[in-house]
Amino acid sequence: MSTEHHPNQGTPASTPAGVSFVGCDLKDGNTAGPLTGRRAAMVAGKRVRVVDVHAHCAVPEAMSVPGLKMDGPPLLADLHMGTGVNQRLATMDAQGIDMQALSINPFWYSAEREVAEAVIRIQNEKLAEACAAHPDRFVAFASVALQHPDMAARQLED
């Protein structure tokens, strides 16, 4: 599976674990500059909170269910303060991003029922773990299997 790139993402890490942060400058290792503390955004002389609402990530374990894998170098992040998350947080700080809303590209929309159910369960659990580990920095959009409306309704309740 190809990964999309966005300028607000951090540098890849090689720590294998639950979530991959995927974005524009991630594969290339680009950052906004030296990672020396949190950059503040100001409006009319007051600090404002900056929320990145387009922060893609991927869950390699979920992607493996239908036989997909990440292209390119490993982009895995340890959910519990591993190198990948630390780098992403440092890059967010350098870019003045206070919080990211994590989302996953819907590669499972054509999946059969059992595959879609497993993929969504795994990725929603991993996103919940990431958000629980860093509640002041991450929120996430949960996924549902829109191609299976009855299952999507249950997943939405979960």
Side-chain angles (χ1 to χ4, degrees):
M1 175 176 165
S2 292
T3 56
E4 186 177 358
H5 290 286
H6 295 279
N8 58 349
Q9 307 329 184
T11 303
S14 59
T15 307
V19 173
S20 293
F21 296 113
V22 182
C24 277
D25 290 347
L26 189 58
K27 276 188 174 177
D28 300 327
N30 298 328
T31 63
L35 304 177
T36 57
R38 190 178 257 176
R39 185 172 143 200
M42 307 292 279
V43 173
K46 293 185 178 184
R47 188 184 188 298
V48 295
R49 187 175 179 120
V50 176
V51 179
D52 173 4
V53 297
H54 194 174
H56 287 207
C57 61
V59 179
E61 181 181 330
M63 291 175 65
S64 71
V65 172
L68 300 173
K69 62 181 179 177
M70 303 245 351
D71 291 340
L75 302 173
L76 307 181
D78 184 336
L79 295 175
H80 304 289
M81 295 305 293
T83 306
V85 169
N86 288 337
Q87 182 61 49
R88 184 164 181 128
L89 292 172
T91 301
M92 288 169 60
D93 289 347
Q95 295 176 346
I97 298 169
D98 297 302
M99 179 172 274
Q100 287 187 330
L102 305 175
S103 64
I104 298 176
N105 285 329
F107 63 88
W108 62 90
Y109 276 178
S110 62
E112 294 298 324
R113 185 175 195 85
E114 296 78 25
V115 171
E117 186 170 33
V119 165
I120 289 168
R121 178 185 45 76
I122 293 166
Q123 65 193 20
N124 286 347
E125 288 172 359
K126 294 297 183 180
L127 287 173
E129 288 175 22
C131 293
H134 305 281
D136 60 325
R137 303 306 302 270
F138 299 127
V139 295
F141 293 105
S143 300
V144 298
L146 295 176
Q147 72 273 34
H148 306 291
D150 61 318
M151 182 169 45
R154 283 194 320 274
Q155 291 167 329
L156 186 58
E157 287 179 15
D158 288 345

